[in-house]
Amino acid sequence: MSREAAFHADLGGGSRFEIAGGTVAGTDHLAVGRPNQDAYAFRAEGGCLAAVVCDGCGSGARSEVGAALGARIVTEQVLAALRRGGELASPDTWEAVRRGALAPLRELARGMGGSLAEVVSTYLLFTVVGLAVAGEAACAFSLGDGLIALGDELLQLGPFPGNEPPYLAYGLLDRPPGGEAPRFTVHRTVPASAIRTALLATDGAHDLLESSSRALPGGGGEVGPLSRFWDDDRMFRNPDAVRRRLALINRSTARPEWKEERLVRESGLLRDDTTLVVVRRARPERA
C-alpha cells in the first residue's frame, strides 16, 4: 500500500522497518510566495522497500510538479526493477530504473505540447536521494544533491559546481547539459541486516545540520542532532510528527521586550525547502 505517512514495512524473514516522512517550505521560498518544491514517497512490496526524496530545481517555475511525480515514479521503478530480479549493486539495475522513470516523464512532457526543453526546464527538473532494501541487501543511491545518514555515517551529496546538480529529466533532452544524460550513483551497498537507522534528506537539511545547537525559534529547547528524528518514538507514532518538528524549527516568532517597547522577531532556521524520510528497524516492542 502506498502512503506518505509513518508506516511499517514487513519485508519477510523477520525484517520489519518503521518509516516516516515530512516536508516544509524554506523561509526563502515563503518570503517570495513560492511553494514547497520538495516531495517524498516510500513503498514496500514483495519483500522490497524503496524510499525517495526529491528536490525541484529552484529556477524552475513549477518544478514542484516534477518533484511530486518523480518521487512516486522513481519509487515505483526501483520496486519494478527489484521485482524483475535486479541486483542493487548492478549498474544494469539502475540504468533500468533511470530508463523506466524517464518513459512516463517523456510521455507527459510530449502530451503537454510546446517546446520539450521548455516543459522540462519549467516542470520536470528534480534531484533524487533514495534507499532500497531487497532480500539480504540494501543500498543508498542518488541523482543530484542532498544528504544520507546510515546509522552514524553521514553522506553529504554536493554542492555541485555552480550550484547546478544533475537532474534525471536531462535524459529527455537531445543535448543535455554536460553532453551526457546523468546516471544514478550508488553510494553504499550493505547487508540489509546492517540497516538499523537511515535518513534521506533534500539539500535543505544542511541548514538543519548547521542549526543543531541553536535554540528553537520562540524557545522550547534546541534543534538537536539528526538522530532525534530516528530516536524519538513519536516520529513513528504520529504520521505528521516529522513535518511538525520541521515546522517548529522553521517557524517565525515575535516576542515583546516590554522595557524597550519593541518586538523581537525570530525567523525560521531552514532557508531552503527541507524534506526528510526516516527509516529504522522496528523495535521489538512494536513488532
Side-chain angles (χ1 to χ4, degrees), residues 42-61:
F42 44 78
R43 195 155 76 85
E45 180 180 86
C48 301
L49 167 67
V52 163
V53 298
C54 293
D55 180 2
C57 173
S59 62

PDB file of all heavy atoms in Angstrom, residues 42-61:
ATOM      1  N   PHE A  42       7.426   6.629  -0.356  1.00  0.00           N
ATOM      2  CA  PHE A  42       8.007   5.345   0.019  1.00  0.00           C
ATOM      3  C   PHE A  42       6.954   4.266  -0.103  1.00  0.00           C
ATOM      4  O   PHE A  42       5.755   4.527   0.024  1.00  0.00           O
ATOM      5  CB  PHE A  42       8.621   5.368   1.425  1.00  0.00           C
ATOM      6  CG  PHE A  42       7.797   6.039   2.484  1.00  0.00           C
ATOM      7  CD1 PHE A  42       6.718   5.401   3.068  1.00  0.00           C
ATOM      8  CD2 PHE A  42       8.120   7.317   2.902  1.00  0.00           C
ATOM      9  CE1 PHE A  42       5.971   6.021   4.053  1.00  0.00           C
ATOM     10  CE2 PHE A  42       7.381   7.950   3.895  1.00  0.00           C
ATOM     11  CZ  PHE A  42       6.295   7.289   4.476  1.00  0.00           C
ATOM     12  N   ARG A  43       7.428   3.060  -0.396  1.00  0.00           N
ATOM     13  CA  ARG A  43       6.503   1.947  -0.566  1.00  0.00           C
ATOM     14  C   ARG A  43       7.244   0.640  -0.364  1.00  0.00           C
ATOM     15  O   ARG A  43       8.433   0.528  -0.687  1.00  0.00           O
ATOM     16  CB  ARG A  43       5.860   1.980  -1.957  1.00  0.00           C
ATOM     17  CG  ARG A  43       4.635   1.077  -2.066  1.00  0.00           C
ATOM     18  CD  ARG A  43       3.711   1.589  -3.161  1.00  0.00           C
ATOM     19  NE  ARG A  43       4.203   1.290  -4.485  1.00  0.00           N
ATOM     20  CZ  ARG A  43       3.974   0.133  -5.116  1.00  0.00           C
ATOM     21  NH1 ARG A  43       3.298  -0.840  -4.526  1.00  0.00           N
ATOM     22  NH2 ARG A  43       4.422  -0.057  -6.331  1.00  0.00           N
ATOM     23  N   ALA A  44       6.541  -0.342   0.174  1.00  0.00           N
ATOM     24  CA  ALA A  44       7.087  -1.691   0.331  1.00  0.00           C
ATOM     25  C   ALA A  44       6.181  -2.664  -0.408  1.00  0.00           C
ATOM     26  O   ALA A  44       4.949  -2.547  -0.354  1.00  0.00           O
ATOM     27  CB  ALA A  44       7.181  -2.064   1.809  1.00  0.00           C
ATOM     28  N   GLU A  45       6.807  -3.620  -1.106  1.00  0.00           N
ATOM     29  CA  GLU A  45       6.034  -4.599  -1.858  1.00  0.00           C
ATOM     30  C   GLU A  45       6.918  -5.807  -2.160  1.00  0.00           C
ATOM     31  O   GLU A  45       8.088  -5.651  -2.518  1.00  0.00           O
ATOM     32  CB  GLU A  45       5.525  -3.986  -3.165  1.00  0.00           C
ATOM     33  CG  GLU A  45       4.700  -4.931  -4.020  1.00  0.00           C
ATOM     34  CD  GLU A  45       4.235  -4.264  -5.295  1.00  0.00           C
ATOM     35  OE1 GLU A  45       5.016  -4.276  -6.277  1.00  0.00           O
ATOM     36  OE2 GLU A  45       3.128  -3.713  -5.305  1.00  0.00           O
ATOM     37  N   GLY A  46       6.365  -6.988  -1.999  1.00  0.00           N
ATOM     38  CA  GLY A  46       7.081  -8.197  -2.382  1.00  0.00           C
ATOM     39  C   GLY A  46       8.409  -8.380  -1.682  1.00  0.00           C
ATOM     40  O   GLY A  46       9.368  -8.873  -2.290  1.00  0.00           O
ATOM     41  N   GLY A  47       8.480  -7.991  -0.415  1.00  0.00           N
ATOM     42  CA  GLY A  47       9.732  -8.142   0.315  1.00  0.00           C
ATOM     43  C   GLY A  47      10.766  -7.087   0.002  1.00  0.00           C
ATOM     44  O   GLY A  47      11.925  -7.209   0.408  1.00  0.00           O
ATOM     45  N   CYS A  48      10.374  -6.036  -0.711  1.00  0.00           N
ATOM     46  CA  CYS A  48      11.296  -4.953  -1.072  1.00  0.00           C
ATOM     47  C   CYS A  48      10.758  -3.616  -0.554  1.00  0.00           C
ATOM     48  O   CYS A  48       9.552  -3.429  -0.409  1.00  0.00           O
ATOM     49  CB  CYS A  48      11.464  -4.865  -2.591  1.00  0.00           C
ATOM     50  SG  CYS A  48      12.087  -6.382  -3.356  1.00  0.00           S
ATOM     51  N   LEU A  49      11.670  -2.712  -0.311  1.00  0.00           N
ATOM     52  CA  LEU A  49      11.333  -1.380   0.165  1.00  0.00           C
ATOM     53  C   LEU A  49      12.070  -0.348  -0.664  1.00  0.00           C
ATOM     54  O   LEU A  49      13.261  -0.508  -0.958  1.00  0.00           O
ATOM     55  CB  LEU A  49      11.731  -1.233   1.635  1.00  0.00           C
ATOM     56  CG  LEU A  49      11.730   0.185   2.235  1.00  0.00           C
ATOM     57  CD1 LEU A  49      10.317   0.728   2.316  1.00  0.00           C
ATOM     58  CD2 LEU A  49      12.392   0.176   3.607  1.00  0.00           C
ATOM     59  N   ALA A  50      11.370   0.713  -1.054  1.00  0.00           N
ATOM     60  CA  ALA A  50      12.002   1.847  -1.741  1.00  0.00           C
ATOM     61  C   ALA A  50      11.497   3.136  -1.107  1.00  0.00           C
ATOM     62  O   ALA A  50      10.297   3.277  -0.836  1.00  0.00           O
ATOM     63  CB  ALA A  50      11.687   1.835  -3.228  1.00  0.00           C
ATOM     64  N   ALA A  51      12.410   4.058  -0.861  1.00  0.00           N
ATOM     65  CA  ALA A  51      12.073   5.361  -0.291  1.00  0.00           C
ATOM     66  C   ALA A  51      12.875   6.428  -1.014  1.00  0.00           C
ATOM     67  O   ALA A  51      14.062   6.219  -1.306  1.00  0.00           O
ATOM     68  CB  ALA A  51      12.373   5.398   1.208  1.00  0.00           C
ATOM     69  N   VAL A  52      12.243   7.565  -1.305  1.00  0.00           N
ATOM     70  CA  VAL A  52      12.872   8.596  -2.133  1.00  0.00           C
ATOM     71  C   VAL A  52      12.464   9.981  -1.633  1.00  0.00           C
ATOM     72  O   VAL A  52      11.311  10.194  -1.242  1.00  0.00           O
ATOM     73  CB  VAL A  52      12.440   8.430  -3.608  1.00  0.00           C
ATOM     74  CG1 VAL A  52      12.728   9.684  -4.422  1.00  0.00           C
ATOM     75  CG2 VAL A  52      13.123   7.236  -4.238  1.00  0.00           C
ATOM     76  N   VAL A  53      13.412  10.925  -1.648  1.00  0.00           N
ATOM     77  CA  VAL A  53      13.095  12.349  -1.513  1.00  0.00           C
ATOM     78  C   VAL A  53      13.561  13.051  -2.782  1.00  0.00           C
ATOM     79  O   VAL A  53      14.587  12.686  -3.367  1.00  0.00           O
ATOM     80  CB  VAL A  53      13.750  12.990  -0.268  1.00  0.00           C
ATOM     81  CG1 VAL A  53      13.233  12.344   1.002  1.00  0.00           C
ATOM     82  CG2 VAL A  53      15.271  12.919  -0.326  1.00  0.00           C
ATOM     83  N   CYS A  54      12.792  14.040  -3.221  1.00  0.00           N
ATOM     84  CA  CYS A  54      13.116  14.788  -4.434  1.00  0.00           C
ATOM     85  C   CYS A  54      13.045  16.282  -4.166  1.00  0.00           C
ATOM     86  O   CYS A  54      12.186  16.751  -3.410  1.00  0.00           O
ATOM     87  CB  CYS A  54      12.135  14.436  -5.556  1.00  0.00           C
ATOM     88  SG  CYS A  54      12.272  12.735  -6.150  1.00  0.00           S
ATOM     89  N   ASP A  55      13.928  17.006  -4.808  1.00  0.00           N
ATOM     90  CA  ASP A  55      14.021  18.461  -4.662  1.00  0.00           C
ATOM     91  C   ASP A  55      13.909  19.085  -6.042  1.00  0.00           C
ATOM     92  O   ASP A  55      14.764  18.868  -6.901  1.00  0.00           O
ATOM     93  CB  ASP A  55      15.356  18.822  -4.010  1.00  0.00           C
ATOM     94  CG  ASP A  55      15.555  20.320  -3.825  1.00  0.00           C
ATOM     95  OD1 ASP A  55      14.634  21.096  -4.161  1.00  0.00           O
ATOM     96  OD2 ASP A  55      16.631  20.718  -3.347  1.00  0.00           O
ATOM     97  N   GLY A  56      12.830  19.863  -6.263  1.00  0.00           N
ATOM     98  CA  GLY A  56      12.664  20.517  -7.546  1.00  0.00           C
ATOM     99  C   GLY A  56      13.655  21.645  -7.735  1.00  0.00           C
ATOM    100  O   GLY A  56      14.036  22.329  -6.784  1.00  0.00           O
ATOM    101  N   CYS A  57      14.078  21.834  -8.950  1.00  0.00           N
ATOM    102  CA  CYS A  57      15.037  22.889  -9.287  1.00  0.00           C
ATOM    103  C   CYS A  57      14.467  24.251  -8.914  1.00  0.00           C
ATOM    104  O   CYS A  57      13.350  24.617  -9.316  1.00  0.00           O
ATOM    105  CB  CYS A  57      15.335  22.836 -10.786  1.00  0.00           C
ATOM    106  SG  CYS A  57      16.342  24.189 -11.403  1.00  0.00           S
ATOM    107  N   GLY A  58      15.236  25.034  -8.145  1.00  0.00           N
ATOM    108  CA  GLY A  58      14.756  26.318  -7.661  1.00  0.00           C
ATOM    109  C   GLY A  58      14.434  27.302  -8.764  1.00  0.00           C
ATOM    110  O   GLY A  58      13.558  28.158  -8.606  1.00  0.00           O
ATOM    111  N   SER A  59      15.108  27.207  -9.918  1.00  0.00           N
ATOM    112  CA  SER A  59      14.853  28.153 -11.003  1.00  0.00           C
ATOM    113  C   SER A  59      13.715  27.701 -11.908  1.00  0.00           C
ATOM    114  O   SER A  59      13.316  28.437 -12.811  1.00  0.00           O
ATOM    115  CB  SER A  59      16.126  28.344 -11.832  1.00  0.00           C
ATOM    116  OG  SER A  59      16.523  27.122 -12.429  1.00  0.00           O
ATOM    117  N   GLY A  60      13.203  26.486 -11.677  1.00  0.00           N
ATOM    118  CA  GLY A  60      12.060  26.020 -12.448  1.00  0.00           C
ATOM    119  C   GLY A  60      10.777  26.581 -11.860  1.00  0.00           C
ATOM    120  O   GLY A  60      10.477  26.378 -10.684  1.00  0.00           O
ATOM    121  N   ALA A  61       9.992  27.263 -12.671  1.00  0.00           N
ATOM    122  CA  ALA A  61       8.815  27.953 -12.157  1.00  0.00           C
ATOM    123  C   ALA A  61       7.826  27.013 -11.490  1.00  0.00           C
ATOM    124  O   ALA A  61       7.153  27.375 -10.531  1.00  0.00           O
ATOM    125  CB  ALA A  61       8.128  28.728 -13.288  1.00  0.00           C
TER     126      ALA A  61
END
